[in-house]
Amino acid sequence: MVKHTDTSVVTIDRYIIEQERRFPEATGELSGILYDLALASKMIANKVRLAGLVDILGAEGTENVQGEMQQKLDVIANDIIIKALDHGGRLCAMASEEREELIPIPDKFRRGKYLLLFDPLDGSSNIDVNVPVGTIFSVLRKVTTGEDGTLEDLLQPGYKQVAAGYVLYGASTMLVYSTGHGVHGFTLDPAIGEYLLSHPDMRIPEHGRYLSVNDAYEQNWTEPVRALMRRYRGLDGKREAMNVRYVGSLVADFHRNLLGGGLFAYPANTKSPNGKLRLLYECNPLAFICEQAGGAAITGTKRILDVLPTELHQRSPYFVGSKADVEIAAQMLANH
Ligand code: AFP
């Protein structure tokens, strides 16, 4: 492995290649998927940057100058990712938040041994108000025989992920990923169109400063969840109060807590018994990243990465972040 100095500029391509060389058995296919995702995310970043000009350039549902209908940005992001990854011969199927069913690889392209699950534009209701949004992705290895990926291949528990990551379209665009050997963060330099290594070997602090939860649901929480939130706020006198920060874009809230320490919670409530977030392409990839960074993620009673999925779009209650803060949730929610 090449040793980088403080001043060496490391592009994401170079970093992925150097990581791959550490594993002589690697075929380069996984690296190819990560390159393609990096490219897709640059194209999405470009669209997100122009989102505020939609009224000038043509609103959703209106015709643009070419006479085409304008599409919603999450649909555009979905198409960008599919088109960037369907032809490389590395995937045998995909699944997206935007599509009800498994996304097959078109017949004209070769199939590979990996599957990609993604949320193309998470937090998309924040776009209209110029608040950061993100892309989340998870890569699995095919487990069934036969060329095409199947639902069974997609429904694997999170601990089987071979790679996971997210892109945050914020003040800067950042791509953060892990292949199970630490967490690496890259910032897009818009002047040269390259992701540069900005956050090597990311670690989440053991205890956190931030609590991210939508407490508008407090009236629908169970009593143990209410007691837990009182604990985090320091209201039961058993710990110092955390600072509440809630963007409403999972990627943005997660990223802040990864850097500053803390906990993101989307508990079950009486109206949504499984919470809101999707296990396969929201909870699992961020749980994988968080564990790789030294943190933890649970449903309340169980490690997220151990949950056996039964449906593509299944939801799960979610507590993710600094280990000590997640541990409090595990203790207070045990047996509930
Ligand atoms: P949208 O994509 O509909 O904006 O949902 C975003 C999201 O899935 C996730 O990014 C947020 O953390 C969470 O939902 C916010 O949900 P609440 O509005 O119920 O708090």
Side-chain angles (χ1 to χ4, degrees), residues 74 97 119 121-127 133 136 213-215 217 246-253 264 266 276-278 282:
D74 38 14
E97 207 250 328
D119 184 351
L121 214 56
D122 186 64
S124 51
S125 55
N126 272 332
I127 289 180
V133 289
I136 310 175
V213 68
N214 186 345
D215 54 15
Y217 300 116
Y246 193 72
V247 174
S249 285
L250 174 60
V251 172
D253 282 313
F264 175 95
Y266 206 112
K276 174 183 184 188
L277 302 176
R278 313 289 185 154
E282 292 184 308

Side-chain angles (χ1 to χ4, degrees), residues 228 232 298 300-301 319 325-335:
L228 175 66
Y232 289 134
I298 60 170
T301 52
F319 299 83
D325 299 316
V326 174
E327 185 50 37
I328 294 173
Q331 280 166 13
M332 293 184 67
L333 300 179
N335 312 320

